[in-house]
């Protein structure tokens, strides 16, 4: 490899890394944004509106890139259907319902479990060996979440901790869907997969919102310009475009290096929750944050391979 080629690759990797940090900041901010929106919209309506906006953006990009679906088998369609239910429908409902009952700070910390849960589910579903290091990561991660969940007055299944458990369920739902879709990436374009998943999940959310709120009027759909500015930010920037940046980063620097950047989401999420929502941090939050970060690092870190000479 020439020096010029190496420098070009280095600049490209640096650009991707800076773009990823920006995307992680957007995802962290999105937790505070959705928490704020739960005070204005019903949770099912909120999830439907955000996903409709994201689906419209993804549809425009699919048409622009001409990622037409061809020769899809029934097995692939069934997998996409289940993934759409798990990754969009259930995940978004649990995310909105959980944030309504909990705090943006707790939501950001619990979302840090995503790479850990994904790694464990992939190991279980694809029969990979669960090493002692990974098992220790699982234990640390869930101890961290337990510290956050049980930090509320009265602990147990209080109103707030129920929301935390919903957020955990949302993380598991999303990771399970991601594991199902992993095999499809070999034969379908990632943009096509994303569009199909959002189509399925958004359709279900729209139906639930319509059935659950039969007397929808303009005041419910358009409560003001500021809530809709937040909806557009969440749907366009945090959902559609940031996910596309994430997929592009995986293609450029690989999934292992890309996944490391997920550690920035709770950092930005907690920061924005404290600044924008005046949420207070406690020693339990700090302990939970440390345990989740350590557990996620151990649970997703690949063991160093030995050189042939060692």
């Amino acid at each position: 490899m020439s020096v010029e080629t190496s420098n070009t690759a280095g600049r490209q990797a640096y650009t991707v890394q800076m773009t990823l940090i920006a995307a992680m900041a957007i995802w962290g901010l999105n937790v505070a944004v959705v928490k704020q929106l739960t005070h204005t919209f019903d949770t099912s309506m909120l999830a439907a509106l955000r996903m409709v906006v994201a689906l419209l953006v993804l549809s425009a990009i699919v048409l622009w890139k001409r990622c037409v679906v061809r020769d899809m088998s029934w097995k692939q369609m069934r997998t996409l259907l289940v993934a759409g239910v798990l990754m969009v429908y259930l995940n978004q409902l649990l995310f909105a319902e959980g944030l309504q009952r909990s705090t943006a700070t707790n939501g950001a910390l619990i979302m840090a479990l995503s790479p850990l849960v994904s790694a464990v589910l992939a190991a279980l579903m694809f029969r990979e060996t669960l090493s002692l290091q990974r098992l220790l990561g699982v234990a640390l991660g869930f101890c961290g979440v337990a510290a956050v969940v049980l930090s509320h007055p009265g602990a147990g299944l209080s109103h707030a901790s129920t929301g935390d458990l919903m957020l955990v369920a949302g993380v598991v739902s999303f990771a399970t869907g991601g594991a199902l879709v992993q095999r499809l990436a070999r034969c379908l374009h990632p943009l096509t997969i994303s569009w199909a998943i959002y189509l399925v999940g958004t359709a279900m959310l729209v139906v639930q919102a319509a059935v659950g709120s039969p007397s929808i009027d303009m005041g419910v759909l358009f409560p003001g310009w500021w809530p809709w500015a937040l909806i557009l930010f969440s749907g366009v920037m945090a959902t559609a475009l940031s996910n596309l940046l994430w997929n592009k980063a995986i293609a450029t620097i690989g999934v292992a290096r890309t996944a490391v950047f997920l550690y920035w989401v709770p950092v930005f999420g907690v920061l924005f929750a404290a600044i924008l929502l005046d949420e207070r941090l406690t020693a339990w939050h700090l302990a939970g944050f440390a345990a989740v970060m350590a557990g996620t690092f151990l649970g997703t870190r690949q063991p160093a391979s030995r050189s042939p000479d060692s």
Side-chain angles (χ1 to χ4, degrees), residues 205-227:
L205 288 171
V206 169
V207 170
Q208 175 164 330
V211 172
S213 306
S215 58
I216 297 177
D217 55 29
M218 295 300 291
V220 173
L221 287 177
F222 300 97
W225 71 269
W226 180 243

Side-chain angles (χ1 to χ4, degrees), residues 184-259:
L184 293 177
R186 300 176 182 175
C187 49
L188 294 176
H189 193 284
L191 183 56
T192 302
I193 295 173
S194 298
W195 178 81
I197 289 173
Y198 274 92
L199 178 65
V200 171
T202 302
M204 296 180 69
L205 288 171
V206 169
V207 170
Q208 175 164 330
V211 172
S213 306
S215 58
I216 297 177
D217 55 29
M218 295 300 291
V220 173
L221 287 177
F222 300 97
W225 71 269
W226 180 243
W228 262 95
L230 297 180
I231 288 277
L232 291 174
F233 167 82
S234 183
V236 176
M237 298 298 296
T239 304
L241 297 184
S242 290
N243 276 291
L244 289 178
L245 291 175
W246 177 263
N247 292 333
K248 183 178 179 180
I250 290 176
T252 305
I253 64 176
V255 65
R257 292 174 65 188
T258 303

Side-chain angles (χ1 to χ4, degrees), residues 26-43 46-47 50 90-111 148 152 159-171 234 265 269-270 273 277 279:
I26 291 173
W27 281 351
L29 176 57
N30 187 54
V31 179
V33 167
V34 174
K35 172 62 179 178
Q36 185 66 33
L37 286 170
T38 59
H39 300 307
T40 305
F41 293 97
D42 173 74
T43 51
L46 172 59
R50 291 176 55 241
L90 283 178
N91 173 258
Q92 290 301 320
L93 281 181
L94 290 168
F95 181 53
E97 291 278 357
L99 281 180
Q100 187 180 51
R101 292 167 171 80
S102 185
T103 65
T105 299
N106 287 17
L109 293 175
I110 291 170
M111 284 177 64
V148 173
H152 304 290
H159 187 61
S161 62
T162 301
D164 294 333
L165 294 177
M166 287 182 172
L167 291 168
V168 173
V171 169
S234 183
V265 175
V270 170
L277 303 178
E279 293 186 1

